[in-house]
Amino acid sequence: MYPDIENNNYDNSEQQLKIKKGYVQFFPICTSKDITSYDYSVKTDNKNLGFDVYFVSSSTQRDNFPNSNFDFYNESGCFGQNKQSYSGTCKNIKKDSGLLVVFPDELVPW
């Protein structure tokens, strides 16, 4: 598990502006259960940018991310915003769910 490290290069409101045009990747969970809990960790070695991470109900949320229809599990441990490193446990998620990781489109090197 990685420690919870905030991105201190800029604040959360600037992060939300940066990621709206960023890179969005969906990682489906693997489970045979209808409802489960999932432990996860995400980390970047880029010290200049933060990432957001969200557990979402399905891969369609990847397409919804840039607009107001975006929906995610908002319970504690199910999301992190403007992080350099983050670990969490998301409980009571459905089997078609997955992890959405979002970076600003400013990664160098990509």
Side-chain angles (χ1 to χ4, degrees):
M1 299 292 266
Y2 297 128
D4 187 4
I5 300 174
E6 299 286 331
N7 175 32
N8 292 318
N9 295 307
Y10 46 84
D11 64 19
N12 288 343
S13 60
E14 186 175 348
Q15 170 75 352
Q16 295 310 303
L17 292 173
K18 286 177 175 282
I19 63 171
K20 288 299 178 188
K21 297 177 185 172
Y23 176 75
V24 181
Q25 179 69 47
F26 177 79
F27 298 95
I29 63 168
C30 297
T31 184
S32 59
K33 298 178 181 179
D34 289 333
I35 296 177
T36 190
S37 295
Y38 213 83
D39 296 324
Y40 67 101
S41 293
V42 180
K43 179 182 174 218
T44 180
D45 59 0
N46 186 310
K47 301 296 184 200
N48 297 318
L49 296 174
F51 63 83
D52 281 16
V53 60
Y54 304 94
F55 257 99
V56 294
S57 59
S58 72
S59 63
T60 60
Q61 295 304 323
R62 177 185 56 224
D63 298 328
N64 291 341
F65 181 76
N67 60 48
S68 59
N69 294 331
F70 176 64
D71 187 35
F72 62 96
Y73 290 92
N74 60 7
E75 292 82 16
S76 177
C78 293
F79 71 98
Q81 295 176 315
N82 203 15
K83 303 292 186 178
Q84 293 268 312
S85 174
Y86 185 75
S87 293
T89 299
C90 192
K91 299 177 181 176
N92 301 316
I93 56 175
K94 296 179 182 176
K95 69 178 176 181
D96 292 330
S97 299
L99 192 63
L100 206 66
V101 180
V102 188
F103 279 93
D105 190 15
E106 300 174 10
L107 289 174
V108 178
W110 183 244

